[in-house]
Amino acid sequence: MPEIVEIGERPYVALRGKVPMSGIGAFADRMREVIDWLAAKEIAPNDAPFFKYDVIDMEGELVMEIGFPVDDLHSGEGEIVTGVLPAGRYAIAHHHGHPDGLMAATGALLDWGKQQGVEWDANGDHWTARLEIYLSDPREVPDMNDWDTDLQFKLKD
């Protein structure tokens, strides 16, 4: 069952790109670029990696970021961007299982929000903070069917 929680702001470092729905897996495979950039700058992530969906156009391209929360705001370079996940109220739902099930979990969270009358912090296809937080480390949990992921969607203030 989803819940609404208050979350503080979170600085982050990420790789930003435009990808079709069919290209999300290939984009996710580029997470190593963020890890290598952070290591070169001696910046340690302070929490689990995430996918941030800024623009969701199911028929066209998604604008998304894959990255990590960090302690302080930094300057990016090239395709590496930095920013701050805003503080506020978020609807959170937990998904256990293969990432292929995240589309259905997202639909369920959006349906729950509609039933609850929540207002998402979004303007059409443009979202302020729509996140998938990947809680399972693939080195420790190699079977993707056993992965845990949290969906965090920001609500309007």
Side-chain angles (χ1 to χ4, degrees):
M1 177 66 120
E3 62 180 325
I4 295 175
V5 299
E6 189 80 27
I7 299 177
E9 69 178 20
R10 298 165 282 174
Y12 70 89
V13 173
L15 176 70
R16 184 175 177 87
K18 291 182 179 180
V19 298
M21 282 291 293
S22 62
I24 292 175
F27 188 64
D29 289 342
R30 296 182 65 195
M31 178 71 77
R32 171 56 57 191
E33 294 175 43
V34 181
I35 294 167
D36 291 346
W37 189 90
L38 288 167
K41 303 286 185 189
E42 298 181 350
I43 301 168
N46 66 16
D47 209 343
F50 63 83
F51 288 7
K52 179 176 179 276
Y53 295 89
D54 295 328
V55 178
I56 299 173
D57 180 353
M58 302 294 274
E59 305 303 317
E61 289 185 315
L62 306 171
V63 177
M64 61 183 294
E65 298 173 357
I66 51 175
F68 291 89
V70 294
D71 289 335
D72 302 302
L73 188 58
H74 297 275
S75 295
E77 55 193 358
E79 290 181 284
I80 300 291
V81 298
T82 62
V84 176
L85 300 172
R89 294 178 315 125
Y90 285 76
I92 297 180
H94 186 74
H95 171 72
H96 178 80
H98 197 284
D100 287 349
L102 286 169
M103 187 175 287
T106 295
L109 178 56
L110 293 172
D111 288 345
W112 173 86
K114 189 173 188 177
Q115 292 169 3
Q116 299 299 312
V118 302
E119 190 174 358
W120 305 113
D121 195 347
N123 184 5
D125 293 340
H126 297 258
W127 287 72
T128 299
R130 181 169 163 168
L131 307 166
E132 295 172 356
I133 312 290
Y134 289 85
L135 304 172
S136 299
D137 184 333
R139 297 168 297 188
E140 297 171 8
V141 186
D143 185 348
M144 295 173 81
N145 294 305
D146 290 329
W147 281 15
D148 289 305
T149 308
D150 277 349
L151 301 175
Q152 295 183 0
F153 295 3
K154 187 171 182 311
L155 305 179
K156 268 209 187 334
D157 294 326

